[in-house]
Amino acid sequence: TPGSLLEAYVINVTTSQSTKSRYVPNGKLASYTVRDLLPGRRYQLSVTAVQGTELGPLHSEPAHLYIITSPRDGADRRWHQG
């Protein structure tokens, strides 16, 4: 909504067994590093913007990203197309 401030993001990291939710309280954030991902696992990440309005917080539709982490855990990390 024009004139409203983007106040936060909600990042959900989902595996086949669980979902972890992170509330990132800076609406001007340009990047965020998701930590604690295990090698060789499938993850679904979703990001929702939270906007402050007079009626309370308004959440956007989530943007989804599906990833598989590299099977190896080392200093040489590259993106792999699967």
Side-chain angles (χ1 to χ4, degrees):
T1 307
S4 298
L5 295 175
L6 183 61
E7 61 184 43
Y9 294 99
V10 176
I11 301 170
N12 291 315
V13 179
T14 303
T15 65
S16 60
Q17 294 134 356
S18 68
T19 298
K20 292 183 181 179
S21 186
R22 295 171 171 100
Y23 183 83
V24 183
N26 185 347
K28 295 181 181 180
L29 189 68
S31 67
Y32 181 80
T33 301
V34 178
R35 302 194 185 280
D36 302 325
L37 300 181
L38 298 174
R41 297 278 178 99
R42 293 177 186 263
Y43 293 92
Q44 175 185 331
L45 281 70
S46 64
V47 179
T48 304
V50 180
Q51 198 171 42
T53 69
E54 293 177 2
L55 301 174
L58 177 65
H59 293 253
S60 71
E61 288 293 321
H64 297 285
L65 175 67
Y66 300 89
I67 63 167
I68 300 173
T69 55
S70 176
R72 59 184 171 190
D73 188 24
D76 182 25
R77 296 176 190 213
R78 295 189 177 113
W79 290 95
H80 295 281
Q81 185 174 7

